[in-house]
Amino acid sequence: MKTKTIFYIALAILFISHCIELRSQGSEKYKLAESFEKSGDYNNASRLYYELYLLDKRNKNYFAGLVRTYKAQNNFSALIPIVEEQLALDKNSETYALYGELLWRVGKTEEANKAWDNAINTNPNLEKTYLDVYQSQSLVFQFEKAIATLLKGRNEITKNSKIEKRTLFSEQLTQLYIASGNYKKGIEEILQLFEATADYSTAQGRIAALMYNQQAIEYIENYLKEKSSSNQSVLRIYSWFLRSIKKYDLALEITKKIDKSYGSRGADVFNFGYASMVDGQFDIALAAFGWVIDFGKENQYYNQALFGYARALEYKMREQGSFDEKQTKEIIGRYRNIIKSTNNPNIITDAYYRIALIEYEFLNDSSSAQKDINQLTEKFPTYAISASALNLLGDIHLIGGNINEAKSIFYKIIIKYKQINPNEYNKAQYKLAEIEFYAQNIDSAYTLFAQLSLLSDNDIANDALDKITLIEQNKDYPEALKIYAQAELKTKQKRTAEASALYEKIANEYNGSGIAELAILELANIQLEQKSIQSARGILLSLLEKYPDTIYGDIALLNIATTYEMENNYDQAIANLSQILAKYPRSIYIQQVREKIKKLRAEKKS
């Protein structure tokens, strides 16, 4: 008896050991299958998943891995009998939905429809049931069927429950209407959900996705117009839509109506004006700010609107690329009146800064600009914008030739504003690195630029990387690099004749080098800045002729295209841009070139 007991115990131990061994082997094989799948080796992955599946057909992970890898190989027919086996084990909506998808893919459409019906019948009162079928039908691009499935689910589930009918499956239905091009049903679904949730951002994003042609835009416009007449909340959506289709005047009128309806006292119109200014629509921004100003000084948005009006005028002048001295002084006067009329330090500091910029950049009045910067930084030393103003002051001294004074100012920013304004702090560090470069201390400059290049991705880091690249690519020509540094400073200081002479010296004395090519490119840039179109183009063409394999070929062609564009010769501009697409497919300017070609073709037609 004792011998039998020992025998059975031993047998049990052997069985358990075997199970553990099989499980261990299965675990290792599963990891290997996953590894093959992640590397894209679906053939070996599916082979291992199938071996595991044969060991345990109820293991969901094995089955799921098999489905993924068979589908990745378009091996739908081989997967169908495996799915049928799973249905024999467990008739659930997810497996039936998968079965329908596979049957549809192999052309058995009637059987697929029956499988989808069976999926729904497994549990017609559960949201997941309809989502399983909708996903399956969407994968085979049967959007109308998927829409019908979700609408049926909406009716069935909400029939005897407290679930809000208007919101159930709304996100999925909207995506399907967008995918199927059904903008009429799409806008209805979006507005239905919006009226239930008042979620403006979601509604706007979904409407934007429906605006794929003029017919859709016109229909949506009329639909929103009609809906907004009986629903005040839709007015905001309507105003946003009008702005997005560039009907700015009408959008402003609707926004005024919203402002009055809600008693916003200018808040809605001010926000409209600010958004329009950011979008570069300065005239409509001026109209909006003007409307708010007309409320009078007692209005809480009065001073902000005054500042917005002055800034929109300034931006409009900048965009035009030319300025009228009278208009410029008018803008400065507006900013000064704002400083006198408000106690808001944020508005006051911004106004001082804008005044200094205009005085320096448009009136070339560095003395007045320095006075206003000093007023700002003395009265508001702890404000972030004071760091911006000091960087401007440093630039004024640098360009004016007061290098030591500029260095002193940039060091002041580094000492005082690291926490207050990190971006301006980094900018000051970059300026000090530039000063070392201009002083021809190339090694010191390189070290400083290298430190800045480690910053998280931003313009300063990118500029620093450009300088590092310049130094590294031309380390075999240290004297040429020093001359180039001098020329760059002269260019910044607008001493263009001296800068051109230095660039010409590099081009002539270091013939055949990369820095000579770059110097020629800079010579052309100076001519472009001076609007000497023919001269700039001649220099660029000579660069391409002398150095046909130049690494700056894409930039040269881009600038040649610009010279033709300045002459309204769109055909030649497009021809040169097209050469970039053909010769330099990996150029960093490719996206810019494509957009420019598109823009020029549109201008050519108009």
Side-chain angles (χ1 to χ4, degrees), residues 22-34 48 52:
L22 285 174
R23 187 174 296 172
S24 176
Q25 289 175 357
S27 176
E28 291 302 314
K29 188 175 285 189
Y30 182 72
K31 287 179 181 177
L32 183 58
E34 282 187 314
L48 291 174
L52 289 165

Side-chain angles (χ1 to χ4, degrees), residues 2 49 302 330 356 397 456 475 484 511 550 554 566:
K2 188 175 180 182
Y49 281 131
Y302 178 78
E330 179 199 339
H397 284 297
S456 56
K475 60 187 176 184
Y484 187 91
N511 187 31
T550 176
D554 52 347
M566 291 166 76

Side-chain angles (χ1 to χ4, degrees), residues 31-182:
K31 287 179 181 177
L32 183 58
E34 282 187 314
S35 177
F36 279 131
E37 184 181 357
K38 286 176 182 175
S39 68
D41 187 350
Y42 299 117
N43 184 43
N44 276 317
S46 61
R47 176 179 56 79
L48 291 174
Y49 281 131
Y50 186 66
E51 290 174 7
L52 289 165
Y53 174 75
L54 291 176
L55 290 173
D56 184 0
K57 293 184 179 181
R58 290 185 180 275
N59 188 302
K60 298 298 181 186
N61 289 330
Y62 299 165
F63 174 63
L66 195 57
V67 169
R68 288 194 305 271
T69 51
Y70 270 38
K71 285 175 71 172
Q73 297 172 88
N74 295 325
N75 199 357
F76 308 120
S77 297
L79 191 52
I80 287 173
I82 296 169
V83 174
E84 289 172 342
E85 283 183 341
Q86 285 294 302
L87 285 170
L89 295 170
D90 181 15
K91 292 178 172 57
N92 61 71
S93 62
E94 191 173 348
T95 309
Y96 264 126
L98 172 61
Y99 190 40
E101 177 198 337
L102 296 171
L103 289 167
W104 191 276
R105 289 187 185 278
V106 298
K108 296 181 178 180
T109 54
E110 288 186 21
E111 292 95 324
N113 288 327
K114 192 178 293 183
W116 285 326
D117 288 340
N118 287 335
I120 290 171
N121 291 333
T122 59
N123 197 334
N125 295 313
L126 196 66
E127 288 181 37
K128 182 182 181 300
T129 300
Y130 297 95
L131 289 173
D132 286 339
V133 177
Y134 134 80
Q135 287 170 348
S136 171
Q137 291 168 331
S138 297
L139 285 170
V140 291
F141 305 105
Q142 294 306 298
F143 301 128
E144 294 303 324
K145 288 183 182 294
I147 289 167
T149 295
L150 293 177
L151 290 176
K152 180 180 180 180
R154 176 181 280 179
N155 289 328
E156 288 294 323
I157 293 170
T158 59
K159 189 164 52 179
N160 299 311
S161 75
K162 294 181 180 179
I163 296 174
E164 173 60 64
K165 184 174 183 177
R166 292 184 299 175
T167 60
L168 185 60
F169 302 136
S170 180
E171 182 178 348
Q172 292 83 5
L173 281 165
T174 302
Q175 290 171 357
L176 289 168
Y177 289 134
I178 292 168
S180 61
N182 192 339

Side-chain angles (χ1 to χ4, degrees), residues 371 373-381 386:
K371 287 177 185 176
I373 290 170
N374 289 334
Q375 287 264 30
L376 166 57
T377 55
E378 287 169 12
K379 290 180 180 178
F380 304 93
S386 287

Side-chain angles (χ1 to χ4, degrees), residues 487-538:
E488 192 173 278
L489 177 59
K490 302 294 184 189
T491 304
K492 186 183 279 287
Q493 293 174 335
K494 302 192 187 307
R495 294 159 69 175
T496 52
E498 295 173 60
S500 295
L502 291 168
Y503 286 131
E504 284 176 5
K505 183 177 181 180
I506 296 169
N508 293 330
E509 293 183 11
Y510 297 89
N511 187 31
S513 67
I515 199 166
E517 296 174 29
L518 188 57
I520 295 169
L521 199 64
E522 293 298 343
L523 279 169
N525 287 338
I526 289 172
Q527 295 301 309
L528 270 177
E529 283 288 320
Q530 296 177 339
K531 301 290 189 295
S532 299
I533 300 171
Q534 297 287 342
S535 178
R537 187 157 60 230

Side-chain angles (χ1 to χ4, degrees), residues 174-192:
T174 302
Q175 290 171 357
L176 289 168
Y177 289 134
I178 292 168
S180 61
N182 192 339
Y183 54 82
K184 293 181 181 180
K185 288 290 184 183
I187 189 62
E188 287 179 23
E189 188 68 40
I190 292 166
L191 260 290
Q192 192 168 272

Side-chain angles (χ1 to χ4, degrees), residues 332-386:
I332 291 173
R334 284 181 176 275
Y335 282 130
R336 293 207 186 280
N337 287 334
I338 291 166
I339 291 169
K340 291 175 186 176
S341 66
T342 183
N343 294 319
N344 187 325
N346 292 315
I347 293 176
I348 293 170
T349 52
D350 277 353
Y352 268 125
Y353 181 63
R354 303 312 308 177
I355 290 169
L357 271 177
I358 294 168
E359 286 171 333
Y360 182 62
E361 292 180 359
F362 289 94
L363 298 179
N364 199 26
D365 187 351
S366 58
S367 177
S368 294
Q370 288 180 58
K371 287 177 185 176
D372 282 299
I373 290 170
N374 289 334
Q375 287 264 30
L376 166 57
T377 55
E378 287 169 12
K379 290 180 180 178
F380 304 93
T382 61
Y383 278 69
I385 202 166
S386 287

